Amino acid sequence: EPLSDDWQQKISDARIKLERTEHSKILEHYGLTTVQARNAGLGLDGDGGVLIPIYSLSMELLAIKKRKPQINADKRYTYLTADRGSPAWISGSINPLTNAVLIVEGEMNGIVAHLCLQQLGLNIAVIGVAGAQHGIEEWAAVLENRDVMIF
């Protein structure tokens, strides 16, 4: 079930804050410019943390995860929508024409991998699993008959 309009507004506000930001240490840590972060649909909250929207295959907003702004912070990630479980981040490009899928640990790693693959012109979808303890069982039907790479 998609998140409420209040959560949609939170992501919209975070994207506006990112649009007004020229530099972010945490984005730089991942090798991302603010333009790349905007293109990936990310946003910034009031303390400079990165908000990561998590969508379903049908592009409904399922959850919002936050990467704290401190590079070496304890518990660097937290779900703002903790009652939604730990759904994986997907690149949104998993469709019948996608023959290959790359699975990585972590949403930010997934976003960086997706942007790199796009830059190279490769039609490879990316799934960023929320931590190594979370499996990919829920993706079995999507992964069937596709080349799957795990990094």
Side-chain angles (χ1 to χ4, degrees), residues 126-151:
V126 180
I127 299 173
V129 180
Q133 72 275 15
H134 296 285
I136 57 170
E137 296 82 11
E138 67 186 282
W139 297 97
V142 173
L143 300 175
E144 190 174 345
N145 299 318
R146 298 179 200 269
D147 294 328
V148 177
M149 300 163 280
I150 300 175
F151 179 74

Side-chain angles (χ1 to χ4, degrees), residues 41-98:
L42 302 178
L44 293 177
D45 73 355
D47 69 356
V50 178
L51 296 191
I52 306 166
I54 310 291
Y55 293 95
S56 69
L57 283 172
S58 59
M59 298 310 293
E60 293 177 319
L61 184 61
L62 293 179
I64 301 173
K65 195 166 190 178
K66 176 181 175 177
R67 171 51 165 99
K68 292 181 181 176
Q70 300 82 11
I71 291 171
N72 295 317
D74 288 336
K75 298 184 180 179
R76 294 173 296 199
Y77 291 92
T78 184
Y79 278 97
L80 301 184
T81 52
D83 61 330
R84 307 294 256 165
S86 302
W89 179 88
I90 57 170
S91 62
S93 58
I94 302 176
N95 59 59
L97 300 176
T98 307

Side-chain angles (χ1 to χ4, degrees), residues 26-39:
I26 196 62
L27 292 174
E28 188 176 89
H29 174 73
Y30 286 97
L32 294 174
T33 66
T34 54
V35 171
Q36 289 169 318
R38 283 193 296 268
N39 291 341

